[in-house]
Amino acid sequence: MYRPLILQTKDMFYPILAVFGFPANLLTIIVLSRGKCGLSKCISAYMMIMAVSDLSVININVVLYKLLINRLSHTFLHHTNFLIAIVYLMGVSLELSQWCTVAFTVDRYVAMCCQKFKTKYCRVKTMRILAALILILISLENIPHLFVFQPLGITGNISWGIEFRLEAFNSPAFVAFTRLKSFRDLFCVFGLIFLFNGLTVRHILVSSKSRRGFRSQWKENRRDTEMESRRKSIVLLFSVSVSFLLLWLPATVTHFIAGHTMHSDRDYSSPELIAALTGALLAHLSSWTNTWPWVEIPREDVISLSTLRALNNCGSRDARAVLQPRHHSDMAHTPVFSPGNHPWTASE
């Protein structure tokens, strides 16, 4: 039986993403929690919450939904209430990943451009309060998605599967709600990232020019540690921002143009649906590449991981040799539909 190319791509993509994305985010969380990654406490705290949100996307959206629910039919995973809860959590986890990136961008702008406000805002306590507020607001915002589904069928007084309630899905209120969310995702999320990155770049260029002029006037030849620190922060900020923008833009633009009507489209030769599903692949890929490539793993962590692998492959007689310190020089098919504002969680 012929299977569309986009579905074949998804069948290969999501298992690979789960295999690599889960350990990458988990290792990032471990390294950041130990505080030995060469980053400040505030940056580490933001990277930590970003890694946690990305790990939730991997666990809920990829492993639980894409791999288990879509492949294990006629199990408890297909109970209606359970599916509604999972679809709700999928929307929350994706939006949390988005807004954590926005919060990180704002924090770096304040740290580099607003020296008077920096001491009050750029703190771990502020980050925790902001993260909790973002989570609460996103959870409340996605509550309407709990009321637009109905059971696909009832067997033995047990409801199975979910489908959209057409009267709710096509209601003017829900259509306006999803359109406003797509407008917000495109112009607020991306707009804020572009805005604060642009302001940061302008401030850095102006201050760097003034600092170079001052140092040349006094003929200082010493290393400028402050500029090196700024350069490292800029590289980290732009790496995270550019990766996020490139991977999320296709899904966000597609949903803004097509609206919530794409969820009823099951023609896999349709350019709109192919664009939405491709955008979904890239958006979920962001949960793998968002943080871990930019976190410096200490040498001792690399050695400990190598030691664990060696112990796993050798017998007990060789375990002592492996543990000896080394010299430094040697060192499923039920139709399950996604929330109206998330085209990338559409059913296969």
Side-chain angles (χ1 to χ4, degrees), residues 128-145:
R128 291 173 180 172
I129 296 174
L130 185 60
L133 182 61
I134 291 174
L135 178 60
I136 292 173
L137 292 177
I138 291 176
S139 301
L140 294 175
E141 181 190 36
N142 282 273
I143 287 179
H145 296 134

Side-chain angles (χ1 to χ4, degrees), residues 57-91:
V57 172
I58 294 292
N59 289 336
I60 298 173
N61 297 49
V62 178
V63 176
L64 186 56
Y65 179 79
K66 300 293 185 181
L67 300 183
L68 296 181
I69 291 179
N70 283 341
R71 287 170 168 79
L72 301 178
S73 58
H74 308 293
T75 64
F76 74 94
L77 297 176
H78 289 262
H79 287 190
T80 298
N81 293 333
F82 181 79
L83 287 176
I84 292 177
I86 292 302
V87 171
Y88 170 79
L89 292 175
M90 288 166 63

Side-chain angles (χ1 to χ4, degrees), residues 42-43 46 102-123 126 130 192 195-197 199-201 203-204 230 233-234 237:
C42 190
I43 294 179
Y46 274 98
V102 175
F104 174 73
T105 305
V106 175
D107 175 81
R108 290 300 86 204
Y109 163 75
V110 174
M112 288 182 275
C113 305
C114 306
Q115 296 300 318
K116 294 182 179 180
F117 189 51
K118 173 183 177 180
T119 56
K120 296 181 179 180
Y121 184 83
C122 298
R123 299 184 301 174
T126 303
L130 185 60
L192 288 174
L195 173 64
F196 284 104
N197 279 333
L199 293 175
T200 303
V201 170
H203 176 83
I204 292 298
R230 287 185 179 182
S233 297
I234 285 293
L237 173 63

